[in-house]
């Protein structure tokens, strides 16, 4: 009899222990998909949990998988290289042959994030300093290290053509982004396109934007890679002198060499051939100089601080070169899956279609990403990885999350959001404990601001 009573007490205590690690969902989340876990990275003890094995759409916290894998496989000091080479002879300042720009998928060429806007001008200056006065052949963009599919196949049409869904190429430049400035007058009129940057980018713009009474940006671009045609749709506020809409560059490799040719001409270097992205022959090439990107650790910081899709997708595709000579999205997926399997992490919950999280078809569970976060604490790249994640309430995309200074100093987090999706993942670093956490919510009913407050109430008891 005593043993039966003891069994009941043990069972009851076990239930109470489990209940202490769950959360009560508010009414607005009763019909939502909610996957939550917080755990002690040292002991593995689960501090908070709700359906942590439930897979859901993760949005931009997918970038934590991409950056963690890249740091582990490539190392924090990895740099992309771009070769400036020729296939002829260089005699008395005359290059008898073609000039090649050979890419390796560097997303930072000309990037505003690293103040590289004068990158092509500097290349032209280097060639001038080498004494080159004439190039008798073509200037050729060699982007062949990456395949000819710049976009993940499961990105949606409403995103494609916008800057945050720019294509991924073996040669990219200026963040693969155009800035289209509009001027609006009265409600009901059409806005005027007054400027397009960068200069000389080849766009054929069809303006279908309406000027309305709205006070926010509701203007979008639609178009596909390698095609100059772009359609501007949506609405914009009235009486705006300058209203900037950002889109993609349709063919970055071609635009890069076209712009380099202009820079060379400005320096009085004659180019007799054309600027082209067509490689007609594979002759032996002589490297004139090499351009190096910033370190991978710095690139990962931009990805996670600013949720930079373009950087993330270039890095994602770069990972595929670990097992294939041609960079493809399919191979990148396999590299990531195989790597985490080799570390003993169950990858069954992971369906990965891109490296940024823009695809709504990506899914994984909170438990899966939390396992990666826990692993990274024990990695030799631990500190580097942590520093790529912004401090909550202070910077990056989590500047408005956990804004209480007494609390936010403990938290580094990556956020993710798209229609009907809100996610957070990262670390709570208290003096005596380090916790990893992942929160994925889909199909919520209510405002995003209220949802954020709800999530904060789940974390506050841990932070105090």
């Amino acid at each position: 009899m005593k043993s039966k009573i003891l069994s009941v007490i043990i069972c009851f205590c076990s239930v109470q222990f489990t209940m202490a690690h769950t959360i009560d969902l508010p009414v607005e989340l009763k019909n939502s998909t909610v996957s939550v876990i917080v755990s002690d990275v040292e002991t593995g003890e689960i501090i908070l949990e709700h359906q942590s094995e439930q897979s859901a759409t993760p949005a931009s916290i997918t970038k934590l998988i991409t950056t963690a894998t890249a740091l582990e496989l490539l190392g924090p000091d990895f740099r992309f290289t771009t070769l400036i080479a020729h296939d002829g002879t260089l005699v008395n300042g005359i290059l008898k042959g073609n000039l090649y720009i050979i890419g390796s998928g560097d997303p930072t060429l000309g990037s505003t994030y690293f103040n590289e806007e004068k990158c092509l001008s500097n290349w032209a200056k280097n060639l001038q300093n080498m004494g080159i006065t004439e190039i008798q052949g073509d200037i050729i963009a060699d982007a062949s290290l990456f395949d000819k599919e710049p976009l993940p196949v499961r990105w949606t049409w409403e995103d494609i053509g916008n800057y945050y869904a720019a294509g991924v190429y073996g040669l990219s430049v200026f963040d693969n982004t155009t800035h289209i400035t509009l001027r609006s007058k009265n409600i009901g009129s059409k806005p005027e396109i007054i400027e397009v940057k960068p200069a000389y980018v080849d766009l054929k713009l069809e303006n279908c934007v309406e000027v309305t009474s709205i006070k926010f940006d509701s203007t979008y671009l639609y178009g596909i890679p390698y095609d100059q045609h772009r359609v501007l749709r949506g609405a914009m506020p009235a009486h705006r002198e300058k209203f900037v809409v950002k889109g993609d560059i349709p063919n970055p490799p071609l635009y890069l060499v076209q712009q380099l040719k202009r820079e060379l001409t400005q320096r009085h270097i004659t180019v007799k051939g054309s600027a082209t992205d067509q490689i007609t022959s594979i002759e032996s090439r002589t490297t004139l100089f090499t351009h190096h990107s910033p370190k991978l650790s710095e690139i990962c910081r931009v990805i996670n601080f600013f949720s930079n899709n373009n950087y993330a997708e270039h890095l994602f595709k770069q990972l595929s070169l670990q097992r294939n000579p041609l960079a493809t999205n399919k191979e990148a997926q396999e590299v990531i899956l195989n790597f985490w399997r080799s570390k003993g992490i169950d990858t069954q919950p992971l369906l990965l279609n891109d490296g940024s999280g823009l695809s709504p078809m990506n899914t994984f569970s909170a438990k899966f990403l939390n396992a990666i976060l826990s692993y990274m604490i024990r990695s030799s790249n631990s500190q580097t990885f942590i520093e790529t994640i912004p401090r909550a309430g202070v910077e990056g995309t989590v500047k408005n999350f956990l804004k209480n200074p007494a609390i936010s100093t403990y938290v580094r987090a990556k956020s993710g959001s798209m229609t009907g999706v809100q996610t957070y993942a990262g670390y709570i670093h208290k003096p005596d404990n380090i916790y990893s956490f992942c929160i994925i919510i889909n199909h919520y009913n209510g405002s995003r601001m209220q949802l954020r407050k709800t999530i904060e109430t789940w974390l506050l008891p841990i932070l105090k």
Side-chain angles (χ1 to χ4, degrees), residues 2 56 68 107 116 119 187 208:
K2 288 183 179 180
E116 285 284 332
C119 169
I187 292 173
C208 300

Side-chain angles (χ1 to χ4, degrees), residues 241-387:
E241 281 298 310
K242 290 186 177 182
F243 188 85
V244 178
V245 179
K246 294 192 290 185
D248 68 332
I249 296 176
N251 188 342
L254 180 59
Y255 176 71
L256 184 151
V257 290
Q258 288 173 338
Q259 192 62 17
L260 179 58
K261 183 179 179 182
R262 294 185 185 97
E263 294 284 353
L264 291 169
T265 300
Q266 289 177 9
R267 292 184 177 275
H268 307 291
I269 297 174
T270 302
V271 180
K272 292 194 171 180
S274 61
T276 178
D277 59 351
Q278 302 301 310
I279 303 172
T280 55
S281 63
I282 308 177
E283 301 291 338
S284 60
R285 301 170 186 173
T286 302
T287 300
L288 294 169
F289 60 89
T290 302
H291 176 95
H292 297 276
S293 76
K295 291 181 179 181
L296 178 62
S297 57
E298 299 173 70
I299 293 172
C300 288
R301 188 178 186 276
V302 170
I303 291 172
N304 290 332
F305 265 62
F306 304 104
S307 208
N308 189 306
N309 292 340
N310 195 243
Y311 276 26
E313 295 302 338
H314 278 80
L315 191 54
F316 181 70
K317 219 160 193 176
Q318 176 69 211
L319 287 171
S320 72
L321 298 174
Q322 296 291 302
R323 57 176 275 165
N324 197 55
L326 179 67
T328 70
N329 283 334
K330 188 177 186 309
E331 292 295 335
Q333 295 163 17
E334 290 301 316
V335 166
I336 290 173
L337 285 165
N338 289 340
F339 176 77
W340 293 111
R341 281 193 203 109
S342 74
K343 301 304 177 183
I345 293 176
D346 179 14
T347 60
Q348 185 63 32
L350 177 63
L351 291 176
L352 194 62
N353 294 287
D354 64 21
S356 66
L358 186 58
S359 171
M361 302 301 291
N362 291 332
T363 61
F364 55 77
S365 65
K367 184 177 181 180
F368 169 77
L369 181 54
N370 194 64
I372 290 178
L373 294 173
S374 296
Y375 170 88
M376 289 303 294
I377 285 292
R378 297 184 292 275
S379 165
S380 60
N381 295 308
S382 172
Q383 192 60 35
T384 299
F385 180 64
I386 290 171
E387 289 174 359

Side-chain angles (χ1 to χ4, degrees), residues 56-63 354 356-359 362 364 415-418 421-423 440 442:
T57 302
S60 282
I61 58 172
T62 304
K63 294 180 176 73
D354 64 21
S356 66
L358 186 58
S359 171
N362 291 332
F364 55 77
S415 66
S417 62
M418 57 174 58
V421 176
Q422 184 63 62
T423 61
I440 304 175
N442 289 187

Side-chain angles (χ1 to χ4, degrees), residues 27 46 68 72 134 150 176 225 232 238 243 273 275 282 302 314 320 332 394 404 435 449:
V27 173
I46 296 174
E72 291 295 292
E134 182 177 306
N176 291 355
L232 275 164
F243 188 85
I282 308 177
V302 170
H314 278 80
S320 72
V394 177
N404 186 336
Y435 305 109
M449 182 180 295

Side-chain angles (χ1 to χ4, degrees), residues 11 15 29 35 51 58 100 117 134 172 184 202 228 230 236 251 311 313 329-330 364 370 375 377 387 404 455 460 464:
C11 181
V15 171
L29 293 180
S35 185
Q51 295 184 338
Y100 289 85
E117 295 92 332
E134 182 177 306
S172 292
S184 64
D202 189 8
Q228 291 79 19
R230 291 289 179 275
M236 68 169 288
N251 188 342
Y311 276 26
E313 295 302 338
N329 283 334
K330 188 177 186 309
F364 55 77
N370 194 64
Y375 170 88
I377 285 292
E387 289 174 359
N404 186 336
I455 294 170
L460 285 175
K464 290 179 179 178

Side-chain angles (χ1 to χ4, degrees), residues 134-145:
E134 182 177 306
I135 298 171
Q136 295 187 342
D138 297 329
I139 302 179
I140 301 173
D142 185 347
S144 61
L145 190 64

Side-chain angles (χ1 to χ4, degrees), residues 20-23 36-40 45-49 402 406-407 410-411 427-431 433-439 455-464:
H21 290 76
T22 61
I23 57 177
V36 177
I37 190 168
V38 181
S39 65
D40 187 311
E45 178 189 358
I46 296 174
I47 309 302
L48 185 71
E49 184 176 36
L402 294 168
I407 295 171
Y410 296 138
V411 183
Y427 298 102
I428 299 169
H429 198 153
K430 297 186 73 174
N433 299 86
I434 301 175
Y435 305 109
S436 57
F437 71 92
C438 182
I439 299 168
I455 294 170
E456 288 175 344
T457 63
W458 297 344
L459 297 177
L460 285 175
I462 303 169
L463 291 165
K464 290 179 179 178

